[in-house]
Amino acid sequence: MSQQARAGLPPAAGNLAVFTTVSATLTGRGSLDPALAQALYQAFQVAVKDFDTTLLKLRGAMTGEEITFSDEQKAEQGLSQSILQAWYLGVVGKGKKAVCVTYTEALANKVAAPILVPPSYSYGPIGTWTTKPE
């Protein structure tokens, strides 16, 4: 996220730490961008009814690095998939209610950036066009 976008984020309240822990477990990454975590968390609070309640239930379904869902935990399973989608694609929600939180910082682009250079008029890895040329 740009410095300007980071500065525009209001302080997060609630279960941001829980969201970050759950996200780290789901993505398998020990280190996630805290500003992006905050932006995604706030987008989820707006987009998902009873987000914090379901998030706490999702954390309860985790035992260490493993997550198992019972047949009664459809909401938690759906939320885990939505959280993964948000981190890897940078989008929270679906359809007309989808909110793009990031593009260049999405994990799918971060993983592919050093390897893939998509054909375009912007040469270089994903996001190089965000830096002002010298």
Side-chain angles (χ1 to χ4, degrees):
M1 297 181 75
S2 69
Q3 292 291 22
Q4 185 177 6
R6 290 175 200 269
L9 289 172
N15 295 305
L16 177 60
V18 173
F19 176 74
T20 304
T21 301
V22 167
S23 294
T25 301
L26 290 172
T27 62
R29 295 180 168 263
S31 173
L32 295 168
D33 181 346
L36 182 53
Q38 180 179 349
L40 291 172
Y41 176 73
Q42 290 172 342
F44 271 113
Q45 285 184 309
V46 172
V48 178
K49 183 181 177 186
D50 299 325
F51 173 70
D52 284 306
T53 302
T54 308
L55 178 65
L56 291 173
K57 290 179 181 178
L58 173 57
R59 183 186 64 180
M62 297 177 159
T63 54
E65 297 295 316
E66 289 189 24
I67 306 168
T68 55
F69 297 106
S70 67
D71 291 339
E72 296 83 36
Q73 293 176 306
K74 297 288 185 198
E76 293 86 345
Q77 185 175 12
L79 182 59
S80 69
Q81 293 167 346
S82 295
I83 290 171
L84 280 169
Q85 173 186 308
W87 278 104
Y88 278 90
L89 301 180
V91 177
V92 173
K94 293 182 181 181
K96 292 182 180 182
K97 294 184 179 186
V99 175
C100 181
V101 177
T102 187
Y103 175 74
T104 58
E105 299 298 317
L107 291 180
N109 290 332
K110 288 288 192 182
V111 170
I115 301 163
L116 298 177
V117 180
S120 73
Y121 294 104
S122 175
Y123 296 103
I126 293 173
T128 56
W129 45 265
T130 60
T131 306
K132 186 177 179 177
E134 295 179 13

Short mmCIF file of all heavy atoms in Angstrom, two decimals, residues 37-104:
data_model
loop_
_atom_site.label_atom_id
_atom_site.label_comp_id
_atom_site.label_asym_id
_atom_site.label_seq_id
_atom_site.Cartn_x
_atom_site.Cartn_y
_atom_site.Cartn_z
N ALA A 37 -3.27 -5.68 6.48
CA ALA A 37 -4.13 -6.44 7.39
C ALA A 37 -5.21 -5.53 7.96
O ALA A 37 -6.38 -5.91 8.03
CB ALA A 37 -3.30 -7.06 8.52
N GLN A 38 -4.84 -4.34 8.35
CA GLN A 38 -5.80 -3.38 8.90
C GLN A 38 -6.85 -3.00 7.85
O GLN A 38 -8.04 -2.97 8.14
CB GLN A 38 -5.07 -2.14 9.40
CG GLN A 38 -6.00 -1.10 9.99
CD GLN A 38 -5.25 0.12 10.49
OE1 GLN A 38 -4.03 0.13 10.59
NE2 GLN A 38 -5.98 1.16 10.82
N ALA A 39 -6.41 -2.73 6.62
CA ALA A 39 -7.34 -2.35 5.56
C ALA A 39 -8.30 -3.49 5.22
O ALA A 39 -9.50 -3.28 5.04
CB ALA A 39 -6.56 -1.93 4.32
N LEU A 40 -7.77 -4.72 5.15
CA LEU A 40 -8.63 -5.87 4.87
C LEU A 40 -9.61 -6.10 6.02
O LEU A 40 -10.80 -6.36 5.78
CB LEU A 40 -7.78 -7.13 4.65
CG LEU A 40 -6.96 -7.17 3.36
CD1 LEU A 40 -6.03 -8.38 3.37
CD2 LEU A 40 -7.85 -7.18 2.13
N TYR A 41 -9.13 -6.00 7.24
CA TYR A 41 -9.98 -6.18 8.42
C TYR A 41 -11.15 -5.19 8.40
O TYR A 41 -12.30 -5.57 8.60
CB TYR A 41 -9.15 -6.03 9.70
CG TYR A 41 -9.96 -6.10 10.96
CD1 TYR A 41 -10.48 -7.31 11.41
CD2 TYR A 41 -10.21 -4.96 11.72
CE1 TYR A 41 -11.22 -7.39 12.57
CE2 TYR A 41 -10.95 -5.02 12.88
CZ TYR A 41 -11.45 -6.24 13.31
OH TYR A 41 -12.20 -6.30 14.46
N GLN A 42 -10.85 -3.94 8.12
CA GLN A 42 -11.90 -2.92 8.09
C GLN A 42 -12.88 -3.16 6.95
O GLN A 42 -14.08 -2.95 7.09
CB GLN A 42 -11.28 -1.53 8.03
CG GLN A 42 -10.60 -1.17 9.33
CD GLN A 42 -9.79 0.11 9.27
OE1 GLN A 42 -9.44 0.60 8.21
NE2 GLN A 42 -9.50 0.66 10.44
N ALA A 43 -12.38 -3.62 5.81
CA ALA A 43 -13.27 -3.93 4.69
C ALA A 43 -14.19 -5.10 5.04
O ALA A 43 -15.38 -5.09 4.71
CB ALA A 43 -12.45 -4.24 3.44
N PHE A 44 -13.65 -6.10 5.73
CA PHE A 44 -14.47 -7.24 6.16
C PHE A 44 -15.54 -6.80 7.17
O PHE A 44 -16.66 -7.31 7.13
CB PHE A 44 -13.61 -8.35 6.78
CG PHE A 44 -13.09 -9.34 5.80
CD1 PHE A 44 -11.74 -9.42 5.52
CD2 PHE A 44 -13.95 -10.20 5.14
CE1 PHE A 44 -11.25 -10.34 4.60
CE2 PHE A 44 -13.47 -11.13 4.22
CZ PHE A 44 -12.12 -11.20 3.95
N GLN A 45 -15.20 -5.90 8.06
CA GLN A 45 -16.18 -5.44 9.03
C GLN A 45 -17.39 -4.81 8.34
O GLN A 45 -18.51 -4.93 8.83
CB GLN A 45 -15.56 -4.44 10.01
CG GLN A 45 -14.66 -5.11 11.03
CD GLN A 45 -14.14 -4.12 12.04
OE1 GLN A 45 -13.61 -3.08 11.68
NE2 GLN A 45 -14.31 -4.44 13.31
N VAL A 46 -17.17 -4.15 7.23
CA VAL A 46 -18.26 -3.52 6.48
C VAL A 46 -18.99 -4.56 5.63
O VAL A 46 -20.21 -4.55 5.54
CB VAL A 46 -17.71 -2.38 5.58
CG1 VAL A 46 -18.78 -1.85 4.65
CG2 VAL A 46 -17.13 -1.27 6.44
N ALA A 47 -18.24 -5.47 5.02
CA ALA A 47 -18.81 -6.39 4.03
C ALA A 47 -19.50 -7.63 4.61
O ALA A 47 -20.42 -8.16 4.00
CB ALA A 47 -17.71 -6.84 3.07
N VAL A 48 -19.06 -8.09 5.77
CA VAL A 48 -19.55 -9.37 6.31
C VAL A 48 -20.32 -9.14 7.59
O VAL A 48 -19.78 -8.62 8.58
CB VAL A 48 -18.37 -10.34 6.56
CG1 VAL A 48 -18.85 -11.64 7.16
CG2 VAL A 48 -17.61 -10.60 5.28
N LYS A 49 -21.57 -9.54 7.56
CA LYS A 49 -22.42 -9.43 8.75
C LYS A 49 -21.84 -10.32 9.86
O LYS A 49 -21.42 -11.44 9.61
CB LYS A 49 -23.84 -9.88 8.40
CG LYS A 49 -24.81 -9.75 9.53
CD LYS A 49 -26.19 -10.22 9.12
CE LYS A 49 -27.11 -10.15 10.31
NZ LYS A 49 -28.42 -10.72 10.03
N ASP A 50 -21.80 -9.80 11.06
CA ASP A 50 -21.28 -10.53 12.24
C ASP A 50 -19.85 -11.02 12.02
O ASP A 50 -19.47 -12.12 12.45
CB ASP A 50 -22.18 -11.72 12.60
CG ASP A 50 -23.59 -11.28 12.98
OD1 ASP A 50 -23.72 -10.20 13.59
OD2 ASP A 50 -24.54 -12.01 12.65
N PHE A 51 -19.04 -10.20 11.35
CA PHE A 51 -17.68 -10.60 11.01
C PHE A 51 -16.87 -10.98 12.24
O PHE A 51 -16.24 -12.04 12.28
CB PHE A 51 -16.96 -9.50 10.22
CG PHE A 51 -15.51 -9.79 10.00
CD1 PHE A 51 -15.12 -10.80 9.15
CD2 PHE A 51 -14.53 -9.08 10.67
CE1 PHE A 51 -13.78 -11.09 8.95
CE2 PHE A 51 -13.18 -9.36 10.48
CZ PHE A 51 -12.81 -10.37 9.61
N ASP A 52 -16.84 -10.11 13.25
CA ASP A 52 -16.00 -10.38 14.42
C ASP A 52 -16.42 -11.65 15.15
O ASP A 52 -15.58 -12.42 15.61
CB ASP A 52 -16.00 -9.17 15.37
CG ASP A 52 -15.13 -8.04 14.86
OD1 ASP A 52 -13.95 -8.29 14.57
OD2 ASP A 52 -15.63 -6.91 14.74
N THR A 53 -17.71 -11.89 15.24
CA THR A 53 -18.21 -13.10 15.90
C THR A 53 -17.76 -14.35 15.15
O THR A 53 -17.26 -15.31 15.75
CB THR A 53 -19.75 -13.07 15.99
OG1 THR A 53 -20.14 -11.89 16.69
CG2 THR A 53 -20.29 -14.29 16.69
N THR A 54 -17.92 -14.32 13.82
CA THR A 54 -17.52 -15.48 13.01
C THR A 54 -16.01 -15.65 13.02
O THR A 54 -15.50 -16.78 13.03
CB THR A 54 -18.04 -15.33 11.57
OG1 THR A 54 -19.45 -15.04 11.62
CG2 THR A 54 -17.82 -16.59 10.76
N LEU A 55 -15.28 -14.53 13.05
CA LEU A 55 -13.81 -14.60 13.11
C LEU A 55 -13.36 -15.30 14.38
O LEU A 55 -12.46 -16.14 14.35
CB LEU A 55 -13.23 -13.18 13.04
CG LEU A 55 -11.71 -13.08 13.13
CD1 LEU A 55 -11.05 -13.73 11.92
CD2 LEU A 55 -11.29 -11.62 13.23
N LEU A 56 -13.97 -14.97 15.50
CA LEU A 56 -13.60 -15.63 16.76
C LEU A 56 -13.94 -17.12 16.73
O LEU A 56 -13.18 -17.95 17.25
CB LEU A 56 -14.30 -14.94 17.93
CG LEU A 56 -13.80 -13.52 18.23
CD1 LEU A 56 -14.67 -12.86 19.30
CD2 LEU A 56 -12.34 -13.52 18.64
N LYS A 57 -15.05 -17.48 16.11
CA LYS A 57 -15.40 -18.89 15.96
C LYS A 57 -14.40 -19.60 15.05
O LYS A 57 -14.03 -20.76 15.29
CB LYS A 57 -16.81 -19.04 15.40
CG LYS A 57 -17.89 -18.64 16.38
CD LYS A 57 -19.26 -18.79 15.75
CE LYS A 57 -20.37 -18.37 16.70
NZ LYS A 57 -21.69 -18.46 16.06
N LEU A 58 -13.96 -18.90 13.99
CA LEU A 58 -12.96 -19.47 13.09
C LEU A 58 -11.66 -19.72 13.83
O LEU A 58 -11.05 -20.79 13.69
CB LEU A 58 -12.72 -18.54 11.91
CG LEU A 58 -11.59 -18.89 10.94
CD1 LEU A 58 -11.78 -20.29 10.35
CD2 LEU A 58 -11.50 -17.85 9.83
N ARG A 59 -11.24 -18.77 14.65
CA ARG A 59 -10.01 -18.97 15.45
C ARG A 59 -10.17 -20.18 16.36
O ARG A 59 -9.23 -20.95 16.57
CB ARG A 59 -9.68 -17.74 16.26
CG ARG A 59 -8.37 -17.92 17.04
CD ARG A 59 -8.08 -16.80 17.96
NE ARG A 59 -9.10 -16.73 18.98
CZ ARG A 59 -9.13 -15.84 19.95
NH1 ARG A 59 -8.19 -14.93 20.03
NH2 ARG A 59 -10.09 -15.84 20.84
N GLY A 60 -11.37 -20.37 16.90
CA GLY A 60 -11.63 -21.52 17.76
C GLY A 60 -11.54 -22.85 17.03
O GLY A 60 -11.26 -23.88 17.64
N ALA A 61 -11.77 -22.83 15.72
CA ALA A 61 -11.69 -24.06 14.92
C ALA A 61 -10.25 -24.44 14.61
O ALA A 61 -9.98 -25.53 14.12
CB ALA A 61 -12.48 -23.90 13.62
N MET A 62 -9.32 -23.54 14.90
CA MET A 62 -7.91 -23.78 14.61
C MET A 62 -7.23 -24.46 15.79
O MET A 62 -7.40 -24.04 16.92
CB MET A 62 -7.19 -22.47 14.32
CG MET A 62 -7.70 -21.77 13.12
SD MET A 62 -6.84 -20.19 12.94
CE MET A 62 -7.13 -19.90 11.23
N THR A 63 -6.48 -25.50 15.49
CA THR A 63 -5.65 -26.13 16.51
C THR A 63 -4.23 -26.11 15.98
O THR A 63 -3.87 -26.92 15.12
CB THR A 63 -6.11 -27.58 16.78
OG1 THR A 63 -6.16 -28.29 15.54
CG2 THR A 63 -7.48 -27.61 17.42
N GLY A 64 -3.47 -25.14 16.44
CA GLY A 64 -2.12 -24.97 15.93
C GLY A 64 -2.16 -24.52 14.48
O GLY A 64 -2.78 -23.53 14.15
N GLU A 65 -1.54 -25.29 13.61
CA GLU A 65 -1.49 -24.95 12.19
C GLU A 65 -2.59 -25.64 11.39
O GLU A 65 -2.68 -25.46 10.19
CB GLU A 65 -0.12 -25.33 11.61
CG GLU A 65 1.03 -24.55 12.23
CD GLU A 65 0.96 -23.06 11.94
OE1 GLU A 65 0.69 -22.68 10.80
OE2 GLU A 65 1.16 -22.29 12.89
N GLU A 66 -3.42 -26.43 12.06
CA GLU A 66 -4.47 -27.16 11.36
C GLU A 66 -5.82 -26.54 11.63
O GLU A 66 -6.08 -26.00 12.69
CB GLU A 66 -4.49 -28.62 11.82
CG GLU A 66 -3.31 -29.41 11.33
CD GLU A 66 -3.49 -30.89 11.61
OE1 GLU A 66 -4.64 -31.35 11.74
OE2 GLU A 66 -2.47 -31.59 11.70
N ILE A 67 -6.68 -26.65 10.60
CA ILE A 67 -8.05 -26.17 10.73
C ILE A 67 -8.97 -27.30 10.28
O ILE A 67 -8.80 -27.84 9.19
CB ILE A 67 -8.30 -24.94 9.85
CG1 ILE A 67 -7.27 -23.86 10.13
CG2 ILE A 67 -9.70 -24.40 10.06
CD1 ILE A 67 -7.27 -22.75 9.12
N THR A 68 -9.89 -27.65 11.14
CA THR A 68 -10.89 -28.64 10.76
C THR A 68 -12.27 -28.05 11.00
O THR A 68 -12.50 -27.38 12.01
CB THR A 68 -10.73 -29.94 11.58
OG1 THR A 68 -10.76 -29.61 12.97
CG2 THR A 68 -9.42 -30.64 11.26
N PHE A 69 -13.16 -28.29 10.05
CA PHE A 69 -14.51 -27.75 10.15
C PHE A 69 -15.50 -28.90 10.25
O PHE A 69 -15.39 -29.89 9.54
CB PHE A 69 -14.85 -26.91 8.92
CG PHE A 69 -13.99 -25.70 8.75
CD1 PHE A 69 -13.00 -25.66 7.78
CD2 PHE A 69 -14.15 -24.60 9.57
CE1 PHE A 69 -12.20 -24.55 7.62
CE2 PHE A 69 -13.35 -23.48 9.42
CZ PHE A 69 -12.38 -23.45 8.45
N SER A 70 -16.47 -28.72 11.14
CA SER A 70 -17.57 -29.68 11.22
C SER A 70 -18.66 -29.24 10.24
O SER A 70 -18.59 -28.16 9.66
CB SER A 70 -18.12 -29.74 12.64
OG SER A 70 -18.76 -28.52 12.97
N ASP A 71 -19.66 -30.07 10.08
CA ASP A 71 -20.76 -29.73 9.17
C ASP A 71 -21.51 -28.49 9.63
O ASP A 71 -22.11 -27.79 8.82
CB ASP A 71 -21.74 -30.91 9.07
CG ASP A 71 -21.13 -32.10 8.34
OD1 ASP A 71 -20.16 -31.90 7.58
OD2 ASP A 71 -21.62 -33.22 8.52
N GLU A 72 -21.45 -28.18 10.91
CA GLU A 72 -22.15 -27.02 11.45
C GLU A 72 -21.36 -25.72 11.29
O GLU A 72 -21.85 -24.65 11.62
CB GLU A 72 -22.48 -27.22 12.94
CG GLU A 72 -23.44 -28.36 13.22
CD GLU A 72 -22.75 -29.71 13.28
OE1 GLU A 72 -21.60 -29.80 13.76
OE2 GLU A 72 -23.35 -30.69 12.81
N GLN A 73 -20.15 -25.80 10.82
CA GLN A 73 -19.27 -24.63 10.74
C GLN A 73 -19.14 -24.08 9.31
O GLN A 73 -18.08 -23.68 8.88
CB GLN A 73 -17.89 -24.96 11.30
CG GLN A 73 -17.93 -25.24 12.79
CD GLN A 73 -16.58 -25.65 13.31
OE1 GLN A 73 -15.97 -26.59 12.80
NE2 GLN A 73 -16.10 -24.95 14.33
N LYS A 74 -20.25 -24.01 8.60
CA LYS A 74 -20.24 -23.50 7.22
C LYS A 74 -19.83 -22.04 7.18
O LYS A 74 -19.09 -21.61 6.28
CB LYS A 74 -21.62 -23.67 6.57
CG LYS A 74 -22.06 -25.11 6.43
CD LYS A 74 -21.29 -25.82 5.37
CE LYS A 74 -21.85 -27.22 5.18
NZ LYS A 74 -20.96 -28.10 4.51
N ALA A 75 -20.28 -21.24 8.15
CA ALA A 75 -19.94 -19.81 8.16
C ALA A 75 -18.44 -19.61 8.36
O ALA A 75 -17.82 -18.79 7.68
CB ALA A 75 -20.72 -19.08 9.26
N GLU A 76 -17.85 -20.38 9.27
CA GLU A 76 -16.42 -20.27 9.53
C GLU A 76 -15.61 -20.72 8.32
O GLU A 76 -14.62 -20.09 7.95
CB GLU A 76 -16.02 -21.08 10.77
CG GLU A 76 -16.58 -20.56 12.07
CD GLU A 76 -17.97 -21.08 12.40
OE1 GLU A 76 -18.67 -21.63 11.51
OE2 GLU A 76 -18.38 -20.95 13.56
N GLN A 77 -16.04 -21.80 7.67
CA GLN A 77 -15.35 -22.28 6.49
C GLN A 77 -15.44 -21.25 5.36
O GLN A 77 -14.45 -20.97 4.69
CB GLN A 77 -15.94 -23.61 6.03
CG GLN A 77 -15.18 -24.24 4.88
CD GLN A 77 -15.71 -25.62 4.54
OE1 GLN A 77 -16.78 -26.03 4.99
NE2 GLN A 77 -14.96 -26.35 3.74
N GLY A 78 -16.62 -20.68 5.17
CA GLY A 78 -16.79 -19.65 4.15
C GLY A 78 -15.93 -18.43 4.43
O GLY A 78 -15.33 -17.84 3.52
N LEU A 79 -15.84 -18.04 5.71
CA LEU A 79 -15.02 -16.89 6.07
C LEU A 79 -13.54 -17.18 5.82
O LEU A 79 -12.81 -16.31 5.33
CB LEU A 79 -15.23 -16.49 7.53
CG LEU A 79 -14.45 -15.27 7.99
CD1 LEU A 79 -14.79 -14.04 7.16
CD2 LEU A 79 -14.69 -15.00 9.48
N SER A 80 -13.10 -18.39 6.10
CA SER A 80 -11.69 -18.73 5.85
C SER A 80 -11.37 -18.60 4.37
O SER A 80 -10.31 -18.09 3.99
CB SER A 80 -11.35 -20.13 6.36
OG SER A 80 -11.98 -21.13 5.59
N GLN A 81 -12.28 -19.03 3.51
CA GLN A 81 -12.08 -18.91 2.07
C GLN A 81 -12.07 -17.44 1.64
O GLN A 81 -11.27 -17.03 0.80
CB GLN A 81 -13.15 -19.69 1.32
CG GLN A 81 -13.02 -21.19 1.53
CD GLN A 81 -14.24 -21.97 1.07
OE1 GLN A 81 -15.31 -21.43 0.82
NE2 GLN A 81 -14.08 -23.29 0.97
N SER A 82 -12.94 -16.64 2.24
CA SER A 82 -13.00 -15.21 1.92
C SER A 82 -11.72 -14.49 2.36
O SER A 82 -11.23 -13.59 1.66
CB SER A 82 -14.21 -14.56 2.58
OG SER A 82 -15.40 -15.08 2.06
N ILE A 83 -11.20 -14.87 3.51
CA ILE A 83 -9.95 -14.26 4.00
C ILE A 83 -8.80 -14.60 3.06
O ILE A 83 -8.00 -13.73 2.71
CB ILE A 83 -9.66 -14.69 5.45
CG1 ILE A 83 -10.68 -14.04 6.40
CG2 ILE A 83 -8.23 -14.31 5.86
CD1 ILE A 83 -10.62 -14.55 7.83
N LEU A 84 -8.72 -15.85 2.63
CA LEU A 84 -7.67 -16.23 1.68
C LEU A 84 -7.81 -15.47 0.37
O LEU A 84 -6.83 -14.99 -0.20
CB LEU A 84 -7.70 -17.74 1.43
CG LEU A 84 -7.04 -18.59 2.50
CD1 LEU A 84 -7.35 -20.06 2.29
CD2 LEU A 84 -5.55 -18.35 2.53
N GLN A 85 -9.03 -15.36 -0.13
CA GLN A 85 -9.28 -14.60 -1.36
C GLN A 85 -8.81 -13.17 -1.19
O GLN A 85 -8.17 -12.61 -2.08
CB GLN A 85 -10.76 -14.62 -1.71
CG GLN A 85 -11.10 -13.70 -2.87
CD GLN A 85 -12.59 -13.62 -3.11
OE1 GLN A 85 -13.25 -14.64 -3.25
NE2 GLN A 85 -13.12 -12.42 -3.17
N ALA A 86 -9.12 -12.57 -0.06
CA ALA A 86 -8.74 -11.17 0.18
C ALA A 86 -7.23 -11.00 0.18
O ALA A 86 -6.71 -10.06 -0.43
CB ALA A 86 -9.33 -10.69 1.49
N TRP A 87 -6.52 -11.88 0.83
CA TRP A 87 -5.06 -11.76 0.88
C TRP A 87 -4.42 -12.03 -0.48
O TRP A 87 -3.47 -11.34 -0.86
CB TRP A 87 -4.47 -12.71 1.93
CG TRP A 87 -4.53 -12.13 3.30
CD1 TRP A 87 -5.40 -12.47 4.29
CD2 TRP A 87 -3.72 -11.07 3.83
NE1 TRP A 87 -5.17 -11.70 5.40
CE2 TRP A 87 -4.13 -10.83 5.15
CE3 TRP A 87 -2.67 -10.32 3.31
CZ2 TRP A 87 -3.54 -9.87 5.96
CZ3 TRP A 87 -2.08 -9.36 4.12
CH2 TRP A 87 -2.52 -9.14 5.42
N TYR A 88 -4.90 -13.03 -1.20
CA TYR A 88 -4.26 -13.39 -2.46
C TYR A 88 -4.72 -12.55 -3.65
O TYR A 88 -3.95 -12.31 -4.57
CB TYR A 88 -4.41 -14.88 -2.76
CG TYR A 88 -3.37 -15.67 -2.01
CD1 TYR A 88 -3.60 -16.15 -0.74
CD2 TYR A 88 -2.12 -15.88 -2.57
CE1 TYR A 88 -2.63 -16.84 -0.04
CE2 TYR A 88 -1.13 -16.57 -1.88
CZ TYR A 88 -1.40 -17.03 -0.61
OH TYR A 88 -0.42 -17.70 0.08
N LEU A 89 -5.97 -12.08 -3.64
CA LEU A 89 -6.47 -11.29 -4.76
C LEU A 89 -6.62 -9.81 -4.44
O LEU A 89 -6.77 -8.99 -5.35
CB LEU A 89 -7.81 -11.86 -5.24
CG LEU A 89 -7.80 -13.31 -5.69
CD1 LEU A 89 -9.19 -13.74 -6.15
CD2 LEU A 89 -6.76 -13.54 -6.77
N GLY A 90 -6.63 -9.47 -3.15
CA GLY A 90 -6.76 -8.07 -2.76
C GLY A 90 -8.19 -7.56 -2.77
O GLY A 90 -8.42 -6.36 -2.67
N VAL A 91 -9.16 -8.47 -2.88
CA VAL A 91 -10.57 -8.09 -3.00
C VAL A 91 -11.36 -8.70 -1.85
O VAL A 91 -11.23 -9.88 -1.55
CB VAL A 91 -11.15 -8.56 -4.35
CG1 VAL A 91 -12.63 -8.24 -4.45
CG2 VAL A 91 -10.38 -7.94 -5.50
N VAL A 92 -12.21 -7.88 -1.23
CA VAL A 92 -13.12 -8.35 -0.18
C VAL A 92 -14.53 -8.32 -0.74
O VAL A 92 -14.97 -7.29 -1.27
CB VAL A 92 -13.03 -7.47 1.08
CG1 VAL A 92 -14.09 -7.86 2.10
CG2 VAL A 92 -11.64 -7.55 1.69
N GLY A 93 -15.23 -9.42 -0.63
CA GLY A 93 -16.61 -9.49 -1.13
C GLY A 93 -16.67 -10.04 -2.54
O GLY A 93 -15.65 -10.34 -3.16
N LYS A 94 -17.91 -10.14 -3.04
CA LYS A 94 -18.13 -10.69 -4.38
C LYS A 94 -19.16 -9.84 -5.12
O LYS A 94 -19.99 -9.16 -4.51
CB LYS A 94 -18.64 -12.13 -4.29
CG LYS A 94 -17.64 -13.10 -3.74
CD LYS A 94 -18.17 -14.51 -3.72
CE LYS A 94 -17.13 -15.46 -3.14
NZ LYS A 94 -17.58 -16.83 -3.13
N GLY A 95 -19.09 -9.93 -6.43
CA GLY A 95 -20.08 -9.26 -7.28
C GLY A 95 -20.06 -7.75 -7.15
O GLY A 95 -19.00 -7.14 -7.03
N LYS A 96 -21.24 -7.17 -7.14
CA LYS A 96 -21.36 -5.71 -7.09
C LYS A 96 -20.91 -5.13 -5.75
O LYS A 96 -20.65 -3.94 -5.66
CB LYS A 96 -22.79 -5.29 -7.39
CG LYS A 96 -23.21 -5.57 -8.81
CD LYS A 96 -24.61 -5.10 -9.08
CE LYS A 96 -24.96 -5.41 -10.54
NZ LYS A 96 -26.30 -4.94 -10.88
N LYS A 97 -20.84 -5.96 -4.73
CA LYS A 97 -20.43 -5.48 -3.41
C LYS A 97 -18.94 -5.69 -3.15
O LYS A 97 -18.46 -5.41 -2.06
CB LYS A 97 -21.26 -6.18 -2.33
CG LYS A 97 -22.72 -5.81 -2.39
CD LYS A 97 -23.49 -6.42 -1.27
CE LYS A 97 -24.94 -6.00 -1.35
NZ LYS A 97 -25.72 -6.45 -0.22
N ALA A 98 -18.22 -6.18 -4.14
CA ALA A 98 -16.78 -6.41 -3.98
C ALA A 98 -16.04 -5.09 -3.84
O ALA A 98 -16.38 -4.10 -4.49
CB ALA A 98 -16.24 -7.20 -5.16
N VAL A 99 -15.04 -5.08 -2.97
CA VAL A 99 -14.21 -3.90 -2.75
C VAL A 99 -12.76 -4.29 -3.00
O VAL A 99 -12.25 -5.23 -2.38
CB VAL A 99 -14.36 -3.39 -1.30
CG1 VAL A 99 -13.42 -2.23 -1.03
CG2 VAL A 99 -15.80 -3.00 -1.01
N CYS A 100 -12.11 -3.59 -3.91
CA CYS A 100 -10.70 -3.83 -4.17
C CYS A 100 -9.89 -3.04 -3.15
O CYS A 100 -9.91 -1.81 -3.14
CB CYS A 100 -10.33 -3.41 -5.59
SG CYS A 100 -8.59 -3.73 -5.95
N VAL A 101 -9.21 -3.74 -2.28
CA VAL A 101 -8.41 -3.12 -1.23
C VAL A 101 -6.99 -2.86 -1.73
O VAL A 101 -6.38 -1.85 -1.40
CB VAL A 101 -8.40 -3.99 0.05
CG1 VAL A 101 -7.52 -3.40 1.12
CG2 VAL A 101 -9.82 -4.19 0.56
N THR A 102 -6.46 -3.77 -2.51
CA THR A 102 -5.11 -3.62 -3.06
C THR A 102 -4.99 -4.45 -4.33
O THR A 102 -5.76 -5.38 -4.56
CB THR A 102 -4.03 -4.06 -2.06
OG1 THR A 102 -2.74 -3.74 -2.59
CG2 THR A 102 -4.10 -5.54 -1.75
N TYR A 103 -4.03 -4.09 -5.13
CA TYR A 103 -3.69 -4.89 -6.31
C TYR A 103 -2.22 -5.29 -6.22
O TYR A 103 -1.88 -6.46 -6.23
CB TYR A 103 -3.97 -4.12 -7.60
CG TYR A 103 -3.51 -4.87 -8.83
CD1 TYR A 103 -4.22 -5.96 -9.29
CD2 TYR A 103 -2.36 -4.50 -9.50
CE1 TYR A 103 -3.80 -6.69 -10.40
CE2 TYR A 103 -1.93 -5.21 -10.62
CZ TYR A 103 -2.66 -6.29 -11.06
OH TYR A 103 -2.23 -7.00 -12.15
N THR A 104 -1.37 -4.30 -6.10
CA THR A 104 0.07 -4.58 -6.13
C THR A 104 0.54 -5.33 -4.89
O THR A 104 1.53 -6.05 -4.95
CB THR A 104 0.87 -3.27 -6.27
OG1 THR A 104 0.54 -2.41 -5.19
CG2 THR A 104 0.60 -2.61 -7.59
#
